[in-house]
């Protein structure tokens, strides 16, 4: 068994195995040798997996990897584009970004305005994608502190990959997937009204990208959820927050 990781490839974790117990036996018997490869959605062989023993023209049929989906849809990895500025009203030095950025201070002393030219991004008021979050689609944001409530401006950002296909997320009342649970495939503006559920402390995002809000009707502080398992919002720095509404991120690239 070989574990294979290489920077720059969209395959973030694979395993390759021979499906034959004996190469010699296969060649002597005239049988057709076939290999086997296992693809994973996440790094370090985590997330959902797909076992393949032949050619595959479209990985998105089996996995929700953003890279696989983008590659199959366009033949290239589609990216969003955002321009950050040090001062309000798009003044001062600027930094053009087309991917995730864990620390804006590597490029700018501060970020007090930005312009999203294509795609969708999530802005954070702390480095390493921590702190308060703000969703940004195509448009102009002339005052990040005033419009987003970020006292220190944007410190890090994530590009939200385009997703085509169904959306699925399972929410749980308690941490570690405990208590009452419900599966969502569309927006929910109030989990209390729809499910008689007064709290949500963990979730499992199976398909698509979602925003969760602390108040009904998609109001208040928000949190960006990518495909994966989230066992404890408290351990993610969201202690004391109750998420009461959820919305799919459906904006396409322009």
């Amino acid at each position: 068994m070989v574990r294979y990781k290489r920077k720059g490839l969209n395959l973030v974790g694979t395993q390759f195995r021979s499906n034959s117990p004996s190469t010699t036996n296969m060649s002597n018997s005239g049988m057709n040798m076939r290999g086997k490869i296992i693809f994973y959605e996440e790094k370090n062989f985590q997330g959902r997996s797909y076992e393949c023993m032949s050619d595959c023209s479209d990985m998105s049929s089996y996995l929700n990897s953003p890279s696989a989906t983008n590659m199959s849809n366009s033949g290239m990895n589609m990216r969003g584009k955002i321009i950050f500025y040090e001062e309000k009203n798009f003044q001062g030095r600027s930094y053009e970004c087309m991917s995730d950025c864990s620390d804006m201070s590597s490029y700018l002393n501060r970020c007090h305005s930005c312009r999203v030219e294509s795609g969708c991004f999530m802005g954070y008021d702390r480095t390493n994608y921590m702190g308060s979050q703000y969703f940004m689609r195509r448009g102009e944001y002339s005052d990040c502190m005033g419009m987003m409530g970020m006292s220190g401006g944007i410190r890090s950002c994530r590009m939200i990959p385009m997703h085509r296909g169904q959306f699925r997320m399972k929410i749980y009342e308690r941490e570690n997937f405990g208590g009452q649970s419900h599966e969502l495939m569309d927006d929910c503006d109030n989990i209390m009204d729809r499910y008689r559920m007064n709290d949500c402390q963990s979730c499992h995002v199976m398909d698509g990208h979602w925003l969760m809000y602390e108040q009904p009707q998609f109001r208040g502080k928000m949190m960006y959820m990518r495909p994966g398992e989230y066992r404890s919002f408290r351990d993610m720095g969201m202690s004391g927050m109750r998420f009461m509404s959820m919305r799919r991120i459906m904006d396409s690239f322009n």
Side-chain angles (χ1 to χ4, degrees), residues 41-42 47-49 59-66 69 160-171 183-187 203-212 224-230 246-250:
E41 286 186 339
E42 306 296 336
R48 293 199 303 171
S49 62
M59 293 295 297
S60 66
S61 301
Y62 307 98
L63 299 176
N64 291 316
S65 166
T69 302
I160 301 175
M162 178 178 62
H163 174 76
R164 293 178 180 172
Q166 67 175 357
F167 287 75
R168 286 196 307 142
M169 175 172 66
K170 195 166 187 178
I171 58 175
E183 185 171 308
L184 281 68
M185 298 185 69
D186 58 2
D187 300 348
C203 74
H204 179 197
V205 178
M206 289 86 84
D207 297 295
H209 297 253
W210 298 71
L211 289 175
M212 300 183 70
Y224 166 48
M225 313 298 288
R226 302 185 294 176
E229 295 183 347
Y230 301 85
M246 298 84 187
R247 172 177 279 172
R248 298 162 295 169
I249 300 177
M250 302 183 67

Side-chain angles (χ1 to χ4, degrees), residues 35-233:
K36 180 166 75 172
I37 187 169
I38 304 175
F39 298 96
Y40 296 82
E41 286 186 339
E42 306 296 336
K43 296 179 180 179
N44 299 315
F45 317 106
Q46 300 297 311
R48 293 199 303 171
S49 62
Y50 164 56
E51 186 175 295
C52 179
M53 298 175 65
S54 62
D55 294 346
C56 178
S57 63
D58 188 353
M59 293 295 297
S60 66
S61 301
Y62 307 98
L63 299 176
N64 291 316
S65 166
S67 298
T69 302
N70 291 340
M71 291 289 284
S72 63
N73 285 337
S74 65
M76 60 183 293
N77 189 18
M78 294 180 66
R79 294 180 178 272
K81 179 179 176 182
I82 186 170
I83 304 174
F84 297 100
Y85 299 85
E86 285 193 334
E87 307 297 341
K88 296 178 182 179
N89 299 313
F90 321 111
Q91 300 298 310
R93 292 196 306 163
S94 64
Y95 165 58
E96 186 176 295
C97 180
M98 299 176 67
S99 61
D100 296 351
C101 179
S102 62
D103 188 354
M104 295 292 296
S105 65
S106 301
Y107 307 97
L108 300 175
N109 292 326
R110 55 192 170 275
C111 175
H112 288 171
S113 61
C114 64
R115 179 182 287 116
V116 180
E117 295 196 350
S118 61
C120 299
F121 289 82
M122 208 72 195
Y124 303 79
D125 69 353
R126 291 168 55 190
T127 59
N128 298 311
Y129 321 115
M130 301 293 288
S132 297
Q133 307 180 22
Y134 192 87
F135 175 68
M136 299 176 290
R137 57 167 59 90
R138 187 177 183 181
E140 295 186 342
Y141 303 83
S142 59
D143 182 1
C144 293
M145 293 187 293
M147 299 173 69
M148 305 177 188
M150 295 183 173
S151 58
I154 298 176
R155 299 291 180 85
S156 58
C157 77
R158 281 195 188 279
M159 187 196 74
I160 301 175
M162 178 178 62
H163 174 76
R164 293 178 180 172
Q166 67 175 357
F167 287 75
R168 286 196 307 142
M169 175 172 66
K170 195 166 187 178
I171 58 175
Y172 297 84
E173 185 179 20
R174 304 194 192 107
E175 295 181 346
N176 296 311
F177 313 129
Q180 186 182 166
S181 66
H182 298 279
E183 185 171 308
L184 281 68
M185 298 185 69
D186 58 2
D187 300 348
C188 177
D189 60 8
N190 192 326
I191 62 173
M192 183 62 183
D193 288 350
R194 183 183 291 189
Y195 302 118
R196 294 295 181 264
M197 188 172 171
N198 61 11
D199 203 354
C200 174
Q201 290 298 322
S202 58
C203 74
H204 179 197
V205 178
M206 289 86 84
D207 297 295
H209 297 253
W210 298 71
L211 289 175
M212 300 183 70
Y213 297 81
E214 68 172 344
Q215 298 176 19
Q217 306 300 326
F218 318 117
R219 299 173 64 86
K221 292 183 179 180
M222 63 185 75
M223 182 166 64
Y224 166 48
M225 313 298 288
R226 302 185 294 176
E229 295 183 347
Y230 301 85
R231 292 183 172 273
S232 173
F233 297 154

